[in-house]
Structures are given as C-alpha cells and as structure tokens.
Amino acid sequence: MRYSSSIFSVGLFIVFFALPIFSVSFYQAFVSTDRYESAASTIITEQKPSVTSLDLSLIGLPSTASDHDAHVVKTLVLSKDMVRYLDEKIQLREHFSNLEVDYFSRLETDATFEDFHELYRDYFTVDYNVETKILRIAVQAFDRAYAQKALELILERSDEFIDSVNNRMSKEQVRFFRLEEKKRKQEMLVAKAKLLAFQQANKIYSTEAEAQTIFTTIGALETLAAQKQSELDSRAKILSKNSAILQELGAQIASLQRQITSEKARLAGGQGRDISEIQSDFLAVQLELELATTAFKSTLTTLEQVRIEAARKLKFLIVVTEPSLADDSEFPRRWYIVISTIMISLMLYVVASLVMAIIREHA
Amino acid sequence: MRSTSATDQLLRGLKVQRSVVFALFMKEYRAKLAGSQFGLIWSLMEPATYVIVLSTIWLTLGRTQIGGVPIYLFIAAAMLPLKVYQVGIGNISSAVRQNLNLLDYPNVKPIDAFYARYVAEIMLVSISGACLIGGLYWVAEYDISARDYPLLLLTVLLALLNTLGISILLGVYKTRSESFQRAVTLASQPLLFVSAVFYPLSIIPLSGQYWLSWNPVVQVNELIRVAMFGWTAPKDISLEYLCLFTAITLFLAYVAYFANRFTLLKR
C-alpha cells in the first residue's frame, strides 16, 4: 500500500470507526447515569370469564374483552394524565431533570410537557402478552427506591381506575331499572290509594261481601215475613178481624215487605247507585291495582338480575408480582450498546471504504 | 503506473465516475423519453392510479378517513415509499443486466449503472410524488404539513439509502443468476399487501404486527405516519430498526458488489 493513501484510510477509520466507538464507549463508561428498573406483572380478570365459542386467537385474531381492558390500562399508564399524577405525587419532573443525571438521559430544565412525556415513555414501559394475558409494567429511574415507589403509585392509580370503571358501569346498567322500579312503585301506590278512596266513598270493603250481606238480609227478612204470615193466617181463624194482635201482625208483615223491597232495590235498580254498578267500578279499580302490582314485581325481579349480572362483570386488577426493588442497575445496557455501536461502525466503515475504493478504481 | 498521491487519485476517480454516471443517467433519461410516451406518462401516473383504486375500496366500505387523515392522503403518503422500494427491487437492480454492452468501456464500472438508474428512477418517483401530493393539496386542499419534519426527513433519507443498498445487493446477484432474478420478481409481488400501505399497522393483530414489522417498508410507512400525522408509533416500529436494517443492507451490498465486481464485468 502506498504511503500517501494512508491519510484517507486513517481519516475514514477515525470518522466512521474510531470516533463513534470511542465516544459511545466513553459516554457509557464514565458519563451515563445508572438506571434502576422496577417491574410488576398484573392481570385483569373478570369474575365470569367471557365465554367465546371459538378461540380466535389461534388464527391470530385476539382482542377478547380482557385484551381490551389490558390495552385500556396500558393507555392509562402511558398517558399524560399519569405523568401529571406522578409529578404531583412524587415530583417526577424534578427527578428526571436532576442535574446529577448525565445530559443525554435527563430532562432539560426548560423542557416542554411534551418532551417530558416523551422521556417518560422511554423510561416507563408497558408490555402486554397476548398469550398469557399478563400485563408487565416496568419503570426505570435513577434511584432504586424511587422506581419502586413510582410503580406502586401507578398500580394504585390503575386499580382505582378499574374500580371507578366498575362503579360507573354497574351504576349505569342498574340506573335504568332503578328508575323503572320507582315509576312502577308509584303506579302501584296510586292504584292502591284509588281503591281505598273508592272503598271509603262507597262505605264498603268489598262489593261481593256487601251483596252477600244483602242476600242474607233479604233471606232472613223473607223467612221472618213468612213466619209472620203463617202466624197471621192461623190466628185469623180464632180471633176477630179487629183484634189488636192481628192488626199488629199485619203491620209487621207490611213493614217486612217494604224492607225486602228496599233491600232488593239496593241490590239492583231503584234510585241511587246500586250494588251491581258499584261492583263493576270496583272490579276496574281492583284490576288496575293488580296490574300495577304485577308490573312492580317483575321490575323488581329484573333489577335483581341486572344487579347480579353487573356484579359478575366486575373487573379486578390482580398484581401477580409486586413492584420489585432493583439490586443492581440494569440500564443502560452498556455492553449491548457498545457492541451494537462497534458493529454498526464497522459496517459503515466498510461501506465508506468500499465507496472510496470504487471511486479510486475509476481513475 | 505513475505514482500519484491518494488525493489526486480520489479526485480524478470522482471526476471520471461523476461523468460516467451523468452520461449513463442521460442515456436512461433519453431512453425513457424515446421509448413509448405512454410508458413515461404511465410511470408518472401509476402511484396516483393505485391511490385512487385503493381509496375506492375504503370509500365503498364507508370510510372517508383513517385516524383523522383523509383516505387519499393516507394512502398517498405510504404509496410513495412503496414505489421507491419497488423500483429498487425491480428496475434499479436490473440496471447492469440491461447495460451489459456499455461495460466494455474501461471507465464504466457496473456500479455506475446502478447509480445512474438509481438517480433516474428516484427522480421519476419524486416527480410523480410531488404531482400526487401537490395535486391533493391543490384539488382537495388537504393539510399536507408534517408534525415532525426532522423525523420525516430522516425516515425518507434512510428509505432512500436502504433502497440503494437493496438495489445493489439484489442487482449483483440478479446479474449473476437468471433464476435469482425470477425468484426476486416473484417474491416481490405481494409487497403491496404486506407493507401497511392501504391500512394502518395498528388494525393488524399484535402477532401479525410483529411479523409485518420486519418489513422495512412497513417501518418507513409507519414512521412517516408518525412524522406526518402525529400518530403514536406501534410497538414494533422504531427508527433504530430502520437504521440497523439500512446499515446492514448497505454493508452487504457493497461487500457483495466489491467481491463480484470483476465477475460482473466478465459477463
């Protein structure tokens, strides 16, 4: 190799190989701040597992209900709301922009909230395993206890969120039937009050009983009238027509006959409201009450069913492994980064050298 | 051989190579113009035609937007990267095969044919892309501004470099082997369907997303969506992967070319 060409070779070597590897290794070895990871695994369960007749995940079509919930929790954990919450509780921004942390890992002091959120998404990760349904949440922080604390807060918040969703959902489902129940109850009470008013206005408890009473009365009166009549007939043979006893008996029979007529009039016809009219009105009122009662009963049953159904659909965030306390710093993965840099630099160096060699071949 | 300094040699080589590439480029350009006029117009219209056809599918399903982005713009933004990769796999990598007679000139190296056709084809795609996106802007008045210009620029740059690597790598072996060429043509047929061009990656189930995300075109398309429309990148989409993929293809391409450069000349 000619001596003069070595300037280029050396230049290429430095720019594409030595410099990147040296700077990255130097940064990783002496500058970059250790990050500690705390991780927790959770699953979201329903009391009643959603029954699918066909397991679509076999052909790559998952997205059952619990997948959906896991994605909801994932979105929550990675949301800006969560960043705000953590910042409020444990001053996340302060922790991220700590000046002891190296320049490339920390948040600049005048960073916008969007930058903050972006950095947050670098250090806070959520992975959902479709097969095992386990949601793994991991937090990297510059302090081991801080990472654990942040993860605990995230889990707490997620739990609260799931609870509030449960609450709202069951409330929403039950609400309609609650209203319905109230309405039906009101209707039933109105019907009952109507019946009572009717009974009071007509001074009867039940028309049937009333009619029965009248029948009995008429029967008794007629028996009595027949007795009196036979007594009158037997006495008339002995006594004179003008005797006081006969006259009294005659008056009694006439009075009984009048009474019978009036009782019969009460039963049907005559002036005023007779018992048959009252009975038909009474039956209408009674029917109304019965209908209202049945409706109320069935609403109550449905309400109970819905309540049970809602309780069955309750979801729970179950923490499988509690937030761990890192013993050693796993991040940044220095060897991985350095080796990747070496490989990429090597490739770029080869490409650059070959491009140059190809150019030189044209000369 | 007279002794020269490396700088002189490099500069001279650069000069020669530049003029060779330029001459080949002009030849490509003239061939395009002299060939059927319809062919040129078709290659300019092709992306737009695809966009219209694919959009119609969505429109008949009753969707006018995907993730808040008008359907035409959504597909157009992904159609152009796909087109770049397609000409890379097809046209650009066939450059040496179709210019074999020119390799008799000692100054013309096989790679110059790749370079020239690369420039010509990318220019053509750029023009048709500019017409397409510009047309959407003028006619439909879509908002074509991006949310993240640095990311957009970087993604496009990586896509172009990646295409260069793929073209040269495939081109070397396509020139050497007829059956390899046929295999590549066959294998690249379903590229349109596995590149997340007319659907967002996020509608695919997670396991499917994982497999599709190995495809660099998917990475480019999704990254462009992140940069243009401000979407959140799906789990398996990362700029790092695209960088690595580009570095590896470029590396393999140049090593393969350098190892085969005399074999290519002999044919």
Side-chain angles (χ1 to χ4, degrees):
Chain A
M1 183 151 243
R2 279 154 298 179
Y3 183 71
S4 53
S5 71
S6 62
I7 299 171
F8 270 98
S9 309
V10 170
L12 278 181
F13 184 76
I14 288 174
V15 171
F16 285 97
F17 194 69
L19 198 65
I21 291 177
F22 175 74
S23 48
V24 168
S25 308
F26 182 81
Y27 171 72
Q28 290 299 343
F30 301 109
V31 183
S32 72
T33 314
D34 286 350
R35 293 201 300 272
Y36 299 90
E37 191 190 62
S38 174
S41 305
T42 60
I43 44 174
I44 297 164
T45 54
E46 270 177 58
Q47 279 210 322
K48 185 190 77 174
S50 50
V51 182
T52 41
S53 52
L54 185 68
D55 192 2
L56 293 176
S57 62
L58 286 178
I59 53 167
L61 287 173
S63 224
T64 55
S66 65
D67 279 356
H68 176 75
D69 297 328
H71 287 302
V72 169
V73 171
K74 181 175 171 175
T75 310
L76 174 78
V77 172
L78 297 178
S79 71
K80 289 181 176 165
D81 287 348
M82 188 59 95
V83 179
R84 272 192 210 99
Y85 175 77
L86 287 176
D87 196 28
E88 204 177 282
K89 288 270 174 185
I90 50 171
Q91 288 76 44
L92 188 65
R93 199 185 181 112
E94 224 167 85
H95 181 79
F96 274 178
S97 49
N98 189 341
L99 287 178
E100 283 172 23
V101 175
D102 77 88
Y103 178 79
F104 294 101
S105 306
R106 75 164 175 252
L107 188 69
E108 282 178 66
T109 23
D110 57 346
T112 59
F113 186 72
E114 279 69 28
D115 295 335
F116 182 25
H117 183 233
E118 210 166 288
L119 192 73
Y120 171 87
R121 291 190 59 138
D122 284 345
Y123 292 160
F124 288 60
T125 49
V126 184
D127 283 313
Y128 178 59
N129 188 326
V130 183
E131 271 79 44
T132 57
K133 313 276 179 213
I134 286 178
L135 194 70
R136 183 179 184 274
I137 307 175
V139 172
Q140 291 174 29
F142 303 112
D143 179 277
R144 60 196 82 189
Y146 188 91
Q148 197 185 26
K149 178 79 191 145
L151 188 52
E152 273 164 8
L153 280 172
I154 285 178
L155 288 181
E156 210 172 279
R157 179 78 166 165
S158 306
D159 200 32
E160 267 170 34
F161 172 77
I162 295 250
D163 279 353
S164 79
V165 167
N166 279 338
N167 243 333
R168 213 172 314 152
M169 199 183 65
S170 53
K171 242 187 219 161
E172 207 47 46
Q173 280 184 329
V174 171
R175 204 176 57 126
F176 172 76
F177 288 97
R178 270 257 159 79
L179 280 179
E180 196 74 350
E181 183 214 356
K182 248 183 210 159
K183 224 161 72 189
R184 297 270 170 266
K185 195 171 189 177
Q186 200 55 42
E187 276 173 15
M188 192 184 70
L189 288 178
V190 166
K192 214 165 198 173
K194 227 171 168 180
L195 182 73
L196 195 68
F198 187 89
Q199 283 171 332
Q200 277 171 348
N202 293 289
K203 297 204 169 49
I204 45 170
Y205 176 67
S206 146
T207 46
E208 246 169 83
E210 188 72 12
Q212 199 58 47
T213 318
I214 294 171
F215 277 128
T216 324
T217 315
I218 292 173
L221 285 172
E222 278 189 340
T223 320
L224 201 58
Q227 270 176 9
K228 294 284 176 189
Q229 188 65 47
S230 77
E231 199 184 333
L232 181 76
D233 286 352
S234 66
R235 295 250 173 132
K237 284 171 188 159
I238 308 158
L239 295 173
S240 80
K241 258 189 182 171
N242 293 332
S243 83
I245 293 172
L246 282 189
Q247 293 213 339
E248 199 197 328
L249 275 173
Q252 274 180 359
I253 289 167
S255 160
L256 281 172
Q257 291 298 353
R258 268 203 311 279
Q259 189 61 40
I260 288 168
T261 320
S262 113
E263 286 296 328
K264 279 189 175 158
R266 253 181 88 198
L267 204 58
Q271 71 265 54
R273 285 164 60 78
D274 59 74
I275 197 83
S276 60
E277 249 176 53
I278 292 173
Q279 169 127 29
S280 81
D281 286 355
F282 180 75
L283 279 181
V285 176
Q286 212 173 21
L287 191 67
E288 207 175 300
L289 176 64
E290 246 168 64
L291 279 178
T293 314
T294 320
F296 177 63
K297 268 187 199 159
S298 74
T299 313
L300 264 186
T301 322
T302 322
L303 177 65
E304 268 325 294
Q305 273 174 355
V306 168
R307 226 179 246 162
I308 291 168
E309 195 62 30
R312 252 194 224 166
K313 277 191 190 149
L314 285 188
K315 292 171 179 120
F316 298 98
L317 184 81
I318 295 176
V319 178
V320 180
T321 55
E322 291 287 339
S324 56
L325 184 63
D327 197 26
D328 192 15
S329 146
E330 280 182 90
F331 294 91
R333 288 185 290 175
R334 298 200 165 85
W335 281 113
Y336 175 81
I337 292 172
V338 169
I339 291 172
S340 313
T341 312
I342 291 175
M343 278 168 57
I344 292 179
S345 308
L346 192 66
M347 286 192 289
L348 289 183
Y349 171 63
V350 170
V351 169
S353 314
L354 289 180
V355 169
M356 292 295 176
I358 290 165
I359 291 175
R360 244 185 250 137
E361 275 185 355
H362 281 77
Chain B
M1 197 178 209
R2 66 198 165 99
S3 87
T4 48
S5 77
T7 322
D8 282 351
Q9 197 190 15
L10 195 70
L11 286 178
R12 221 150 22 83
L14 199 63
K15 225 178 196 172
V16 173
Q17 189 173 22
R18 207 182 52 197
S19 50
V20 168
V21 170
F22 185 71
L24 285 170
F25 169 73
M26 288 313 284
K27 180 188 159 285
E28 294 283 340
Y29 176 71
R30 251 182 254 120
K32 283 263 183 220
L33 277 185
S36 69
Q37 296 281 322
F38 182 74
L40 186 67
I41 293 169
W42 167 242
S43 53
L44 281 173
M45 294 285 295
E46 198 194 351
T49 317
Y50 269 102
V51 168
I52 289 169
V53 169
L54 293 170
S55 304
T56 311
I57 297 173
W58 279 110
L59 290 174
T60 49
L61 290 174
R63 289 284 291 264
T64 55
Q65 294 193 335
I66 291 181
V69 178
I71 196 82
Y72 288 113
L73 185 61
F74 175 84
I75 296 182
M79 185 49 77
L80 295 172
L82 175 75
K83 196 73 206 143
V84 168
Y85 275 90
Q86 274 179 339
V87 296
I89 294 170
N91 253 349
I92 302 175
S93 58
S94 306
V96 172
R97 286 183 72 80
Q98 291 164 4
N99 282 309
L100 281 177
N101 50 341
L102 292 175
L103 296 181
D104 295 338
Y105 296 97
N107 278 342
V108 180
K109 308 291 180 210
I111 201 160
D112 299 336
F114 289 133
Y115 283 161
R117 189 165 280 192
Y118 177 77
V119 175
E121 292 289 348
I122 295 298
M123 269 177 72
L124 203 61
V125 175
S126 305
I127 292 169
S128 71
C131 291
L132 181 57
I133 301 288
L136 286 178
Y137 177 68
W138 284 112
V139 177
E141 294 187 355
Y142 289 149
D143 174 19
I144 56 166
S145 62
R147 306 289 176 84
D148 189 346
Y149 281 103
L151 180 63
L152 183 65
L153 210 66
L154 194 59
T155 310
V156 171
L157 190 72
L158 283 171
L160 290 179
L161 279 177
N162 193 1
T163 305
L164 180 66
I166 291 176
S167 316
I168 295 176
L169 183 60
L170 292 180
V172 168
Y173 293 105
K174 272 167 87 168
T175 314
R176 288 193 55 173
S177 150
E178 182 94 13
S179 44
F180 182 75
Q181 189 213 358
R182 284 174 206 283
V184 167
T185 313
L186 200 66
S188 65
Q189 290 305 312
L191 196 61
L192 170 67
F193 300 98
V194 296
S195 299
V197 171
F198 53 92
Y199 52 87
L201 187 64
S202 52
I203 67 162
I204 304 284
L206 273 180
S207 48
Q209 282 188 26
Y210 170 74
W211 290 112
L212 280 187
S213 64
W214 287 95
N215 180 353
V217 193
V218 170
Q219 298 276 346
V220 172
N221 282 340
E222 284 294 320
L223 285 170
I224 282 181
R225 280 165 196 158
V226 171
M228 283 274 291
F229 313 136
W231 289 12
T232 315
K235 181 171 160 260
D236 298 311
I237 299 301
S238 69
L239 199 60
E240 287 84 352
Y241 174 80
L242 192 60
C243 288
L244 196 66
F245 194 89
T246 306
I248 291 174
T249 42
L250 272 179
F251 170 74
L252 292 178
Y254 275 96
V255 169
Y257 171 76
F258 207 71
N260 287 297
R261 65 195 196 279
F262 297 120
T263 327
L264 292 178
L265 269 178
K266 267 179 214 149
R267 288 182 61 101

